Amino acid sequence: MRVGVLVSGSGSILSALIQSGIDICVVVSDRPCLGLDVARSNAIATELVERKSYGGDFDRNDYTSRVVEKLLNYKVELVAMAGFMTILGEPIFDAFPNKVLNTHPALLPSFKGAHAVEASLAAGVKLSGCTVHIATPQVDAGPILAQEAVPVFENDTPASLHERIKEVERRLYPKCILEISQGGHVL
Ligand code: GAR
């Protein structure tokens, strides 16, 4: 399966996906970021669909359609969000029904949203982890494919806890995507 990966950040999850041998045909980003450099240094095509507005005038469906257009240009069959920080609208779910995946740095359905690690620490939970799920128009709410827990320590900072979670994501997310792309996991 031809996989398109969406990134916004450092691209460490993307690196793990690349190393696992997944057939990544394009990496799309909403901003200039290290993730694009990771793709380029692995000779993977990149597309920057820059998000210009974070205010009330942001046209989510129009933006999403522009991302979808790029993915379709590369004949993408499965979309993997790997730290993509723009919530996408209906057009991507119409174009790729049940074929948009996400990894989230918390044990869903707890701690949805963009600040899951900070919120987990603030709540004082003793266990956190990551969730790989099918993305739907409802943010961080789609069917769960896999989860794995990590401990939260007294002296954790958002960075230390997030890194412990990412260590799991770098193993679990490629495993799920490979299972799906090799037909072992029916979507
Ligand atoms: C990952 O922890 C991923 O779960 C999270 O961003 C990180 C990306 O790390 N995604 C979200 O928070 C989505 N709401 P990376 O840039 O090092 O690959």
Side-chain angles (χ1 to χ4, degrees):
M1 265 183 150
R2 292 170 64 80
V3 178
V5 180
L6 309 185
V7 298
S8 301
S10 70
S12 75
I13 308 296
L14 168 65
S15 276
L17 300 182
I18 294 168
Q19 281 159 29
S20 75
I22 291 166
D23 178 15
I24 301 172
C25 53
V26 64
V27 171
V28 180
S29 178
D30 58 357
R31 67 198 77 186
C33 64
L34 287 173
L36 289 175
D37 296 337
V38 169
R40 285 186 199 109
S41 64
N42 284 278
I44 296 171
T46 59
E47 294 287 351
L48 174 61
V49 185
E50 195 157 5
R51 177 171 173 177
K52 300 283 188 205
S53 164
Y54 288 82
D57 61 337
F58 178 57
D59 186 336
R60 199 170 302 282
N61 281 349
D62 175 70
Y63 178 82
T64 303
S65 295
R66 291 198 288 128
V67 170
V68 166
E69 188 186 333
K70 298 293 184 196
L71 295 169
L72 292 176
N73 283 346
Y74 288 85
K75 303 199 180 333
V76 163
E77 297 165 291
L78 185 68
V79 181
M81 294 196 279
F84 190 66
M85 299 309 282
T86 292
I87 294 169
L88 294 174
E90 296 278 357
I92 196 157
F93 306 105
D94 293 342
F96 300 98
N98 284 328
K99 293 284 191 295
V100 184
L101 306 180
N102 184 39
T103 179
H104 182 74
L107 295 174
L108 293 173
S110 296
F111 306 113
K112 297 174 181 176
H115 305 287
V117 178
E118 291 82 353
S120 302
L121 278 179
V125 295
K126 301 299 178 201
L127 273 182
S128 183
C130 74
T131 303
V132 176
H133 67 102
I134 301 174
T136 60
Q138 291 72 42
V139 177
D140 297 332
I144 292 172
L145 298 175
Q147 284 185 310
E148 195 170 311
V150 303
V152 179
F153 299 129
E154 292 286 338
N155 59 354
D156 262 330
T157 61
S160 66
L161 175 57
H162 200 172
E163 185 52 30
R164 194 173 307 118
I165 294 169
K166 284 196 206 184
E167 282 171 18
V168 177
E169 292 184 286
R170 292 182 197 118
R171 180 166 41 74
L172 197 62
Y173 202 27
K175 182 171 176 280
C176 286
I177 295 173
L178 281 169
E179 271 178 24
I180 289 164
S181 56
Q182 291 164 0
H185 213 128
V186 180
L187 287 187

